[in-house]
């Protein structure tokens, strides 16, 4: 099939203004075969009221209002309702470049054993103005590259940084994700749920990295990630480093040691992570 259906899935929450921008960026895509799934976890009706004109005129949008707040389960609901061969999450405060889907689907059509396609993403502020990149959003390469999944995962894990990108950034094939979004080796991750899924996909094939800015990552004080507990993020990173070895990542003691040392260095000035540091030190002793 030349233009397989792509499901853009949006877990929405109390941000009607930026959600409208996000939706418009999908409707402007040059790729012709897209559905939009919106699952609304909002505490009020502002999102629904904003969407009413779209729902009256745009059949490709399917909207679902949750009766109660589902939080991470809302991500799973979006995924389960999607009919597409391909999935691209879109955060309700981010947006797409108009050629994002077309340029990413191309690699699945033309190359074998691709499990995810990502790209450089441009950081923007609350008004949509470009911001300088942050450490995690630095452009990795100046040219498009097809990367070995294991090597790319090791690159992320030994630097304790999600260079693949936020959920908005990545297109993947639905059948390749064998656990719910954010679940890795049976554990549901919350703050690094995107990384958990990228590791799952990278264990199954290759990654494509495109150096063009095909998505726009909005930085603002009300981001979901800013509201989550920092200590929980730390615990999740250590858990995922350890769990990744089950997929053959960090398969040498040197790589595993590098990842643990990198993570330990991040924690050393935070007293709330003392137990994690003790846990790391116990593992490191076994590697000597």
């Amino acid at each position: 099939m030349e233009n397989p259906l792509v499901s853009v899935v949006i877990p929405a929450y109390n941000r009607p203004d930026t959600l409208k921008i996000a939706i418009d960026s999908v409707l402007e895509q040059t790729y012709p075969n897209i559905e939009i799934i919106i699952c609304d976890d909002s505490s009020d009706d502002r999102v629904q009221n904003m969407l009413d004109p779209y729902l009256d005129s745009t059949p490709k949008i399917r909207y679902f209002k949750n009766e109660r707040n589902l939080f991470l389960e809302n991500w799973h609901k979006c995924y389960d309702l999607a009919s597409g061969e391909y999935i691209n999450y879109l955060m309700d405060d981010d947006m797409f470049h108009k050629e994002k889907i077309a340029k990413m689907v191309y690699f699945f059509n033309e190359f074998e054993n691709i499990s995810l396609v990502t790209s450089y993403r441009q950081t923007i502020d609350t008004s949509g103005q470009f911001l300088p990149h942050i450490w995690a959003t630095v452009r990795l390469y100046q040219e498009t590259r097809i990367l070995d999944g294991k090597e790319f995962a090791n690159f992320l894990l030994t630097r304790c940084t999600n260079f693949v990108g936020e959920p908005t950034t990545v297109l993947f094939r639905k059948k390749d994700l064998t656990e719910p979004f954010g679940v890795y080796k049976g554990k549901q991750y919350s703050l690094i749920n995107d990384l958990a899924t990228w590791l799952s996909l990278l264990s199954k094939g290759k990654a494509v990295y495109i150096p063009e800015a095909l998505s726009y990552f909005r930085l603002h004080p009300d981001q979901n990630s800013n509201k989550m507990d920092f200590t929980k993020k730390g615990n999740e990173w250590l858990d995922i480093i350890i769990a990744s070895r089950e997929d053959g990542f960090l398969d040498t003691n040197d790589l595993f040691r590098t990842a643990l040392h990198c993570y330990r260095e991040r924690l050393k000035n935070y007293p709330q992570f003392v137990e994690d540091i003790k846990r790391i030190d116990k593992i490191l002793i076994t590697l000597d």
Side-chain angles (χ1 to χ4, degrees):
M1 186 175 181
E2 187 174 344
N3 293 311
L5 179 65
V6 174
S7 297
V8 175
V9 296
I10 307 176
Y13 182 73
N14 286 348
R15 284 193 279 256
D17 295 338
T18 55
L19 174 58
K20 185 179 189 304
I21 295 169
I23 292 169
D24 288 343
S25 77
V26 183
L27 296 177
E28 293 168 359
Q29 290 296 298
T30 58
Y31 187 80
N33 194 17
I34 294 175
E35 67 170 5
I36 303 172
I37 308 295
I38 303 170
C39 294
D40 185 7
D41 227 16
S42 297
S43 58
D44 54 43
D45 294 328
R46 290 178 299 144
V47 165
Q48 187 169 5
N49 293 336
M50 181 276 292
L51 281 171
D52 281 341
Y54 287 94
L55 301 178
D56 291 339
S57 61
T58 314
K60 66 173 60 179
I61 297 178
R62 298 165 59 201
Y63 171 74
F64 305 88
K65 180 72 165 76
N66 299 332
E67 295 182 0
R68 61 178 179 85
N69 186 273
L70 298 179
F71 188 47
L72 287 172
E73 290 179 18
N74 196 39
W75 294 58
H76 303 163
K77 180 178 178 179
C78 287
Y79 183 86
D80 291 341
L81 290 167
S83 304
E85 181 177 343
Y86 296 95
I87 301 285
N88 204 131
Y89 276 84
L90 172 57
M91 298 299 92
D92 61 3
D93 47 355
D94 295 340
M95 55 188 291
F96 288 167
H97 183 282
K98 67 180 182 179
E99 293 184 293
K100 179 190 195 299
I101 301 299
K103 288 193 172 186
M104 290 190 166
V105 168
Y106 165 81
F107 288 95
F108 286 103
N109 285 339
E110 297 298 323
F111 297 89
E112 294 183 356
N113 200 29
I114 303 297
S115 61
L116 68 82
V117 181
T118 189
S119 76
Y120 175 70
R121 67 272 198 207
Q122 175 66 56
T123 50
I124 57 176
D125 64 15
T126 53
S127 61
Q129 299 300 305
F130 288 2
L131 293 171
H133 69 75
I134 58 178
W135 168 242
T137 66
V138 64
R139 183 179 276 109
L140 296 179
Y141 309 104
Q142 297 301 316
E143 69 288 328
T144 297
R145 292 195 181 186
I146 297 178
L147 304 164
D148 177 82
K150 180 179 176 181
E151 292 178 3
F152 196 28
N154 286 341
F155 178 79
L156 312 175
L157 292 164
T158 54
R159 291 158 178 80
C160 296
T161 303
N162 177 13
F163 290 115
V164 175
E166 299 68 38
T168 296
T169 321
V170 171
L171 181 74
F172 61 92
R173 190 181 286 106
K174 188 176 186 183
K175 71 178 184 180
D176 288 340
L177 194 59
T178 53
E179 293 183 285
F181 194 93
V183 176
Y184 185 61
K185 300 303 175 187
K187 174 183 169 63
Q188 172 71 67
Y189 291 83
S190 55
L191 193 53
I192 57 172
N193 63 336
D194 44 10
L195 177 65
T197 289
W198 308 156
L199 291 178
S200 179
L201 292 168
L202 290 171
S203 72
K204 300 177 178 69
K206 300 176 182 177
V208 176
Y209 180 87
I210 303 171
E212 301 170 67
L214 296 182
S215 61
Y216 302 89
F217 174 41
R218 198 181 303 271
L219 300 175
H220 57 90
D222 293 326
Q223 280 173 288
N224 292 338
S225 59
N226 289 336
K227 297 177 181 179
M228 291 187 172
D229 182 70
F230 181 67
T231 303
K232 187 169 186 179
K233 179 179 181 180
N235 292 335
E236 288 194 348
W237 259 107
L238 182 52
D239 286 344
I240 211 165
I241 287 170
I242 295 169
S244 72
R245 301 199 91 191
E246 295 180 34
D247 273 332
F249 303 137
L250 305 178
D251 58 333
T252 68
N253 284 350
D254 283 345
L255 284 170
F256 192 31
R257 189 182 293 110
T258 298
L260 291 171
H261 275 300
C262 177
Y263 178 64
R264 193 186 192 288
E265 187 68 17
R266 298 273 181 94
L267 303 184
K268 67 180 183 181
N269 295 321
Y270 296 92
Q272 66 266 42
F273 292 120
V274 63
E275 292 304 317
D276 274 1
I277 290 176
K278 290 179 180 178
R279 189 177 168 201
I280 292 169
D281 288 343
K282 286 182 179 179
I283 298 171
L284 289 171
I285 289 172
T286 69
L287 301 178
D288 290 336

